[in-house]
Amino acid sequence: MKINLTKPIFSFEIFPPKKEGVWLQEIYNTIDALAPLNPDFISVTYGASGSSQDNTVEIASLLQKKYKIPSVAHLTCVCDDNENIERVLDRFKEEGVENILALRGDLPDGATLGKFKYASELTEFIKSYGDFFVAGACYPEKHLEAYTPEEDIKNLKIKADSGAQLFISQLFFDNAKFYSWIEKVRDAGITTPIMAGILPITSAKQLERMVTLCGATIPEGIQSIIKAYNHNAFALKEAGIAYASMQIIDLLAHGVDGIHLYTMNKPGVAQRIVDNIKGPLYSLKQS
Ligand code: FAD
């Protein structure tokens, strides 16, 4: 199933639940709640170290077959040999999963490096392996390992030239940073559509963990929300939903190519955000 790329593209990201035995029911509950929100696609994360890889294929297939929602299956290469990558790609073909988010992944402790060093190499390989639509990741505040933003954008151009047809951004909270980065990306000759990755803050602990993982700047607006409502989980969650909704409405007003919502398998939060943004989103989609 192909993705509808009419702008602004709107999507969710889910992950295969870790709990063995109950994961299928949990994922049904999540998708049951997300499906009526009419996303253009739902992407499914992939564990670089192996345990949940087959669940990614299964969920990506379920989304299409049962729910008729286009899926984007994530695929990493950092510690996979060619044999496993080909095995997973063959399974995507068998299940009719045509859209892949090609990623390098992060090397888990003790794991050995795979054949491909960068996502661009995986992208090129996937394009040569079958008729897949391939998306890639991008970093408005630069990837943590890149020395400079310019170097990271140069590497993003390599990924675009390798065949990436859509980029999905790392989460960020400061739209001004995103707008100035987009300008530099377009100046570098990258014309690929770019979706803004938005994470609704639902707890201070979650924020801390995500920021350590990806290095996103915490703007003053978020800092004051945490300071004011940290003692009250309900108030903090409500403020997080309001902040993410306003962030998205501003991005839509600035003509963003798409919004990718990191749902963290919390469909209730996604539902609330869609309720807040659906007027601006659908009016732009129809124009
Ligand atoms: P790359 O594009 O390969 O970039 C990695 C680093 O190498 C960057 O610093 C880049 O500047 C540099 N680089 C790239 N190409 C070159 C080159 N040719 N020469 C020199 N340097 C180069 N991880 C998972 O394990 N599972 C997931 O499901 C998952 N989903 C994600 C979804 C999104 C939307 C995003 C933004 C990230 C996701 N990640 C996931 C995390 C991702 O795997 C990590 O951020 C990883 O560190 C980099 O992956 P990449 O594909 O961006 O790598």
Side-chain angles (χ1 to χ4, degrees):
M1 265 176 116
K2 297 273 183 238
I3 302 173
N4 173 11
L5 290 171
T6 310
K7 293 174 192 174
I9 311 160
F10 184 64
S11 62
F12 298 125
E13 179 171 310
I14 60 176
F15 57 84
K18 294 203 169 58
K19 282 178 258 163
E20 281 304 321
V22 292
W23 76 270
L24 199 55
Q25 189 51 52
E26 191 181 324
I27 210 72
Y28 272 126
N29 295 344
T30 300
I31 306 173
D32 277 344
L34 293 179
L37 306 179
N38 289 322
D40 291 306
F41 65 87
I42 296 183
S43 83
V44 188
T45 66
Y46 185 85
S49 60
S51 58
S52 67
Q53 294 178 348
D54 285 329
N55 293 349
T56 300
V57 182
E58 220 171 298
I59 296 166
S61 167
L62 176 83
L63 278 164
Q64 303 198 143
K65 290 189 177 145
K66 180 173 183 323
Y67 294 90
K68 313 289 178 224
I69 299 171
S71 60
V72 172
H74 298 203
L75 176 64
T76 64
C77 60
V78 70
C79 49
D80 269 349
D81 55 21
N82 253 29
E83 213 175 293
N84 194 43
I85 289 173
E86 288 183 13
R87 182 189 71 81
V88 177
L89 289 175
D90 287 340
R91 288 219 52 211
F92 287 154
K93 280 185 186 173
E94 281 160 27
E95 297 294 333
V97 176
E98 298 172 87
N99 313 301
I100 299 174
L101 178 60
L103 299 149
R104 187 199 67 181
D106 291 315
L107 195 65
D109 287 343
T112 41
L113 272 173
K115 184 186 172 208
F116 300 121
K117 212 166 160 200
Y118 301 114
S120 54
E121 296 171 5
L122 177 65
T123 301
E124 213 170 303
F125 178 74
I126 297 171
K127 295 299 286 182
S128 71
Y129 198 77
D131 184 20
F132 290 108
F133 176 95
V134 182
C138 60
Y139 301 84
E141 298 190 64
K142 97 173 178 55
H143 185 260
L144 277 178
E145 292 165 30
Y147 291 110
T148 63
E150 291 72 25
E151 175 197 300
D152 207 32
I153 289 176
K154 226 170 84 196
N155 294 330
L156 191 65
K157 175 83 168 75
I158 297 175
K159 199 152 41 175
D161 293 343
S162 303
Q165 294 157 277
L166 174 73
F167 286 123
I168 303 179
S169 95
Q170 181 59 278
L171 62 96
F172 64 91
F173 302 105
D174 187 341
N175 286 2
K177 286 194 189 296
F178 181 76
Y179 301 140
S180 77
W181 172 79
I182 282 271
E183 231 178 276
K184 289 183 192 137
V185 167
R186 297 308 182 208
D187 285 350
I190 301 170
T191 55
T192 317
I194 297 176
M195 299 182 70
I198 301 298
L199 174 80
I201 293 305
T202 50
S203 81
K205 221 165 126 196
Q206 168 219 33
L207 177 66
E208 202 178 302
R209 191 161 41 85
M210 297 315 272
V211 167
T212 313
L213 278 176
C214 73
T217 308
I218 313 284
E220 211 270 323
I222 296 254
Q223 286 178 30
S224 38
I225 284 175
I226 300 282
K227 207 167 144 200
Y229 307 117
N230 201 15
H231 65 286
N232 182 329
F234 173 76
L236 184 59
K237 188 170 144 194
E238 291 293 301
I241 289 170
Y243 187 94
S245 304
M246 278 313 295
Q247 211 189 336
I248 293 170
I249 287 167
D250 181 68
L251 285 159
L252 291 171
H254 281 77
V256 70
D257 292 326
I259 300 289
H260 183 70
L261 203 59
Y262 292 101
T263 63
M264 312 305 286
N265 292 9
K266 289 185 181 134
V269 171
Q271 282 166 329
R272 292 281 309 283
I273 290 177
V274 170
D275 234 25
N276 291 337
I277 66 158
K278 65 184 180 212
L281 176 69
Y282 297 135
S283 81
L284 288 169
K285 235 179 169 24
Q286 281 156 12
S287 61

